[in-house]
Amino acid sequence: MAQPGHTPAEGAGAAHVVTRDCPGCGGTACTPLPDYSRAPWTTVACDACGFVYLREAPVYDRLEEEFAWEKTFAAETERRAQARPAFSRVDRATRWRLALFRRDEAATYREVFGEGNVLDVGCGGGTRLPEPLVPFGIEISKDLAARADAHMQTRGGRTVQASAIGGLSAFPDGFFSGALLRSFLEHEIDPKGLLSGLHRVLRPGGAVYVKVPNFGSLNRRVMGVRWCGFRFPDHVNYFTMKSLADMARDCGYAIEPRGGLTRPVSDNLYAVLRKSVT
């Protein structure tokens, strides 16, 4: 069954993809961006609000195994290595450079979330949330969800194997002090639905920490479709800080952008979305 704002695609493979309206404003008119597309996947910009997204996207069932993160990441790494072997060799040899400006993520999560139950959406193997936070997770990949659940149960939490929005139904209102969307919101077919669902399960004053590819980066303009933020077909949304802020406010959050000085040259956006205390 198609979700609101989504219709079954037509043609070959139609049972496996949905055609999407704009995730930002719900608009139906869009303009293809061929310089940022890779057949058979088409990246488009909404004619009404400018939000950039993948017009056709895999249905949730395909993300459990066929397009599970651990498989698409490995496949994309191999594809890039074959397409640009010299660049790939230099990249691997200089991975140390990434640590020069790397954030202390554990300290950041403690600072943003405080204490209590924290939900990691798209939690992978389930090891990102540091103590003393009590880790809970939602993970659509069956293999990763099993690994995460085994780890989280040792610390008083658990993992639900489900789509992100579907998994939220397992938790009561106000259950979490925070939620982590680290490299996840770009994967979600219905990002507004997810942010609204998280708003329900957060306690007043609770926070969502978001990291997504930065479509506004200078590197994207230089690299075109070779930009590291593009990954077809499981990256289905491409955010700027403006489009992320607009969506957050529509879903009832105050937004606290981070990394303002480095944002134009960073391949990622960082922000804290805060639920009102009233």
Side-chain angles (χ1 to χ4, degrees), residues 196-233:
S196 296
L198 286 172
H199 194 276
R200 177 188 67 80
V201 298
L202 284 176
R203 70 185 187 190
V208 182
Y209 186 79
V210 177
K211 173 189 175 185
V212 291
N214 178 16
F215 190 77
S217 72
L218 293 173
N219 196 30
R220 185 266 302 171
R221 294 175 173 86
V222 172
M223 298 300 292
V225 75
R226 296 178 300 170
W227 177 53
C228 60
F230 289 118
R231 203 168 85 207
F232 302 94

Side-chain angles (χ1 to χ4, degrees), residues 20 27 73 82 129 142 230 277:
R20 308 164 73 211
F73 181 82
Q82 293 180 2
L129 294 172
K142 292 180 178 179
F230 289 118
V277 294

Side-chain angles (χ1 to χ4, degrees), residues 173-219:
D173 294 0
F175 186 72
F176 296 107
S177 61
L180 180 61
L181 292 178
R182 181 182 179 275
S183 302
F184 185 83
L185 203 58
E186 65 269 28
H187 296 264
E188 175 54 52
I189 293 174
D190 184 10
K192 265 191 170 179
L194 175 56
L195 291 178
S196 296
L198 286 172
H199 194 276
R200 177 188 67 80
V201 298
L202 284 176
R203 70 185 187 190
V208 182
Y209 186 79
V210 177
K211 173 189 175 185
V212 291
N214 178 16
F215 190 77
S217 72
L218 293 173
N219 196 30

Side-chain angles (χ1 to χ4, degrees), residues 58-186:
V59 296
Y60 283 132
D61 288 350
R62 298 181 81 185
L63 299 176
E64 291 187 6
E65 295 184 352
E66 181 183 358
F67 288 125
W69 178 88
E70 67 274 22
K71 295 181 180 179
T72 60
F73 181 82
E76 180 64 9
T77 300
E78 177 63 22
R79 187 199 66 78
R80 293 180 183 184
Q82 293 180 2
R84 305 173 68 201
F87 179 87
S88 180
R89 285 194 296 271
V90 172
D91 179 64
R92 289 196 301 269
T94 61
R95 298 298 287 178
W96 53 266
R97 73 192 189 279
L98 300 179
L100 294 177
F101 304 103
R102 180 171 293 162
R103 297 159 183 260
D104 184 341
E105 291 187 329
T108 297
Y109 300 157
R110 292 187 185 103
E111 178 247 319
V112 171
F113 301 133
E115 59 184 20
N117 300 330
V118 177
L119 178 64
D120 186 352
V121 182
C123 63
T127 60
R128 288 193 289 240
L129 294 172
E131 295 180 349
L133 303 175
V134 180
F136 289 77
I138 299 174
E139 174 56 53
I140 197 168
S141 165
K142 292 180 178 179
D143 290 343
L144 290 177
R147 287 164 48 187
D149 189 55
H151 171 75
M152 289 184 177
Q153 289 205 33
T154 66
R155 292 177 49 194
R158 65 187 176 98
T159 301
V160 176
Q161 193 271 312
S163 67
I165 295 175
L168 288 175
S169 64
F171 303 105
D173 294 0
F175 186 72
F176 296 107
S177 61
L180 180 61
L181 292 178
R182 181 182 179 275
S183 302
F184 185 83
L185 203 58
E186 65 269 28

